[in-house]
């Protein structure tokens, strides 16, 4: 399977992360936890992140996989 992770950093510290396997945001700092709660309750924001898995990851994985197969 493919996993999409979108991390947000503040002052070089990971603040919050979206993980497609979990399907929601996880906060790692006090600020990140507050944002995770807000963003997880917003279906539009969650849908946008989940769409990235389809739009970007799966599309590019197919291209790379085809390229690898062509070379074998």
């Amino acid at each position: 399977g493919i996993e999409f992770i979108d991390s947000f950093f503040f002052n070089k510290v990971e603040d919050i992360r979206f993980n497609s396997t979990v399907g929601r945001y996880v906060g790692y700092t006090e600020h990140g936890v507050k944002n995770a709660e807000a963003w997880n309750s917003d279906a539009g924001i969650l849908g946008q992140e989940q769409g990235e898995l389809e739009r970007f990851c799966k599309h590019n994985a197919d291209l790379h996989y085809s390229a690898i197969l062509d070379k074998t």
Side-chain angles (χ1 to χ4, degrees):
I2 298 173
E3 181 176 64
F4 171 69
I5 294 175
D6 194 4
S7 295
F8 299 83
F9 289 80
F10 182 73
N11 286 342
K12 299 182 182 178
V13 174
E14 188 174 21
D15 198 37
I16 188 170
R17 174 190 297 178
F18 176 83
N19 181 322
S20 66
T21 302
V22 179
R24 49 193 294 112
Y25 290 94
V26 177
Y28 295 100
T29 63
E30 184 178 351
H31 181 256
V33 169
K34 288 179 182 174
N35 277 339
E37 289 174 2
W39 296 355
N40 285 330
S41 66
D42 187 323
I45 292 175
L46 280 180
Q48 188 173 355
E49 287 283 18
Q50 290 161 346
E52 290 298 294
L53 178 67
E54 297 294 326
R55 185 188 69 78
F56 181 78
C57 297
K58 291 186 178 176
H59 171 73
N60 284 302
D62 289 343
L63 291 177
H64 292 299
Y65 189 64
S66 295
I68 291 167
L69 288 179
D70 288 345
K71 291 178 182 170
T72 56

